Amino acid sequence: NAGVTQTPKFQVLKTGQSMTLQCAQDMNHNSMYWYRQDPGMGLRLIYYSASEGTTDKGEVPNGYNVSRLNKREFSLRLESAAPSQTSVYFCASSETPESQPQHFGDGTRLSIL
Amino acid sequence: GQQLNQSPQSMFIQEGEDVSMNCTSSSIFNTWLWYKQDPGEGPVLLIALYKAGELTSNGRLTAQFGITRKDSFLNISASIPSDVGIYFCAGQLNTNAGKSTFGDGTTLTVKP
C-alpha cells in the first residue's frame, strides 16, 4: 500500500554537485509529475510524463532533467545544483494524463549550499 | 502565465466554526481542484470540479466551481483540529493535468 515513494527524504548538496531524486509508484498509473514547492508558495510543475516513454517540460524546467525509466519510475536529475534549487520536491502520479495528480509522495527536502 | 490568487492567506478559527476560502483567476479554467497538505507530507486531492456552477461535497467539505469559470470556493463546516493544514486550489484549462496552475495556499489553524 505504498502509493508514491520518493527517495531520499532529505539531502544537502554543495553548489555544482549533481544528484538524482528517485520516484516510484505502485498503482500502475500512466502519468507522473515532478513539482517543486518553495516556502509560502504552491506547487510549480518542473516536468511531467504523460505516459511511459514521453516527457514534457512544465513551468520551471531549467536546470533539471528527467527520465521515465519504466512505467513505475520517474527520476529528476540536477546536473549542477544551484542555491536557487533549494526547495521541497514532490513527485505525483495520475491514472491518465487527463486525470488530476491524486497521489503525491511525501517530498524530498533539498538544500544547496 | 496564468495566476491564481487564494484568500485568505491564513485563518485562525475556533473548533466548531465554519470556514470559507476562495481562489480567483484572471483566466478561465475548465477544471478546479482543491488539495490539503499536512505538515511534512504531500498534498492530498480533496475535491475536483469539472463544470461551471458545479457544487460538490466530500464529507464536511463543499466546493463550488464559479459560474464565470474564473473562481472557486471551498467551505469546511464544523471545523475540527485535524482540519489544520494548508489548502491549495489548482486550475486546469486543458484536459492535461500537466498544465495545472496552483495557488499559494490558505493556512488553516483550528484552536480546540
Side-chain angles (χ1 to χ4, degrees), chain A residues 33 35 37 40-45 48 57-59 90 94 96-107 109, chain B residues 9 31 33 35 37 39-45 48 50 86 88 92 95-105:
Chain A
Y33 312 84
Y35 294 90
Q37 184 178 32
M41 294 179 68
L43 300 168
R44 290 186 293 167
L45 184 68
Y48 67 102
K57 293 179 181 178
E59 186 185 348
F90 288 100
S94 64
T96 67
E98 293 76 30
S99 54
Q100 292 70 44
Q102 279 188 293
H103 300 273
F104 283 78
D106 285 339
R109 282 143 188 85
Chain B
Q9 195 171 21
T31 302
L33 311 164
Y35 293 85
Q37 185 177 29
E41 298 184 14
V44 173
L45 181 63
Y50 302 103
I86 306 176
F88 290 101
Q92 270 177 245
T95 54
N96 183 338
K99 302 298 184 186
S100 295
T101 300
F102 279 77
D104 288 344

Side-chain angles (χ1 to χ4, degrees), chain B residues 14-68:
Chain B
Q14 208 69 39
E15 183 177 359
E17 288 183 354
D18 297 342
V19 172
S20 288
M21 59 188 80
N22 68 76
C23 201
T24 59
S25 169
S26 56
S27 306
I28 287 171
F29 287 112
N30 290 324
T31 302
W32 283 97
L33 311 164
W34 285 93
Y35 293 85
K36 183 189 178 211
Q37 185 177 29
D38 290 329
E41 298 184 14
V44 173
L45 181 63
L46 298 173
I47 294 177
L49 303 158
Y50 302 103
K51 202 164 137 183
E54 180 181 354
L55 190 72
T56 297
S57 292
N58 178 2
R60 293 178 295 105
L61 278 61
T62 302
Q64 183 162 25
F65 192 140
I67 56 171
T68 66

Side-chain angles (χ1 to χ4, degrees), chain A residues 2-105:
Chain A
V4 177
T5 304
Q6 288 183 238
T7 55
K9 293 191 186 310
F10 302 93
Q11 185 70 48
V12 178
L13 293 177
K14 293 182 180 175
T15 297
Q17 286 185 315
S18 62
M19 157 153 211
T20 300
L21 280 60
Q22 307 286 353
C23 175
Q25 52 93 7
D26 61 4
M27 296 165 286
N28 203 36
H29 283 174
N30 288 297
S31 304
M32 298 183 74
Y33 312 84
W34 275 105
Y35 294 90
R36 61 177 287 173
Q37 184 178 32
D38 297 317
M41 294 179 68
L43 300 168
R44 290 186 293 167
L45 184 68
I46 305 171
Y47 270 93
Y48 67 102
S49 171
S51 60
E52 187 179 354
T54 69
T55 60
D56 285 287
K57 293 179 181 178
E59 186 185 348
V60 288
N62 291 344
Y64 304 95
N65 285 303
V66 289
S67 295
R68 183 74 184 267
L69 304 166
N70 47 55
K71 195 170 185 180
R72 287 188 66 244
E73 298 171 289
F74 189 37
S75 62
L76 178 72
R77 183 159 177 85
L78 286 71
E79 288 292 349
S80 178
S84 61
Q85 293 177 305
T86 293
S87 189
V88 181
Y89 290 85
F90 288 100
C91 177
S93 71
S94 64
E95 198 167 339
T96 67
E98 293 76 30
S99 54
Q100 292 70 44
Q102 279 188 293
H103 300 273
F104 283 78

